[in-house]
Amino acid sequence: MDALTALHTRNSINLLSEPGPSESQLENIVKAGLRACDHRSLTPWKFLLIEGSARNKFGKLMVKAKEAADKRPISPELAAKLETKPLRAPTILVVVASIKEHEKVPEIEQVLSAGAAAQMMMTAAHAQGVGAIWRSGSMMFTPEMHQGLSLSETDQIVGFIYLGTPKVAKSLPAHKVADFLERWPGE
Ligand SMILES: Cc1cc2nc3c(=O)[nH]c(=O)nc-3n(C[C@H](O)[C@H](O)[C@H](O)COP(=O)(O)O)c2cc1C
């Protein structure tokens, strides 16, 4: 697939099955993330790979972090449901903004750079026929989630990218360029 076709046709696939991306597909995906725009070349990113049985532990961590986010215990039914969420895809990439201290590059720019890396990886997945969806949740902002993933205090999770084999084909939204682009008259 050529680059413009990949950029113009990427979409999210929420129904994903085995297999996850191969080693070489994963390498291409992360390599694309490393080409995200990056003010002052701070490389403010970290990517954690979660697959296989680690997804079960990640599910338990999600429950713990969700309880922390909600500031109350969650019902056993919801906990059981939440715990299996990571099993919806064979491979998960946690995209982390690894914030560096820099006088010219504020935190927001580094978080945006990590978001850009996530989008680059989504598109690289699509270009190789790997299905992907960017997921999030209040639990990703909790100290419990950070501790569980061994992240530092200055790290920020920007998303969980679920990767796998697409189970369904999805149509693209009919967005029109003209509805989003306007020329500023300069006066
Ligand atoms: C920062 C961010 C967080 C998101 N979190 C979720 C999420 O938790 N669950 C979900 O179903 N979609 C989430 N999405 C949206 C999907 O990833 C997807 O973009 C959306 O469903 C639109 O589909 P499309 O990408 O095919 O246009 C998130 C998107 C972004 C940018």
Side-chain angles (χ1 to χ4, degrees), residues 10-14 119 122 133-137 158 170 173:
R10 183 215 62 81
N11 59 4
S12 303
I13 308 291
N14 56 352
Q119 184 74 37
M122 297 283 303
I133 183 163
W134 181 338
R135 296 187 185 276
S136 56
V158 301
K170 249 182 60 185

Side-chain angles (χ1 to χ4, degrees), residues 7 11 43 46 56 63 71 77 82 104 109 133 145 150-152 168 170 172 185 187:
L7 287 162
N11 59 4
T43 60
K46 250 183 225 172
N56 297 310
V63 172
K71 296 187 173 57
E77 293 76 26
L82 196 55
K104 292 270 188 320
E109 292 193 2
I133 183 163
M145 177 60 79
S150 304
L151 298 176
S152 70
V168 285
K170 249 182 60 185
L172 294 172
E187 55 191 43

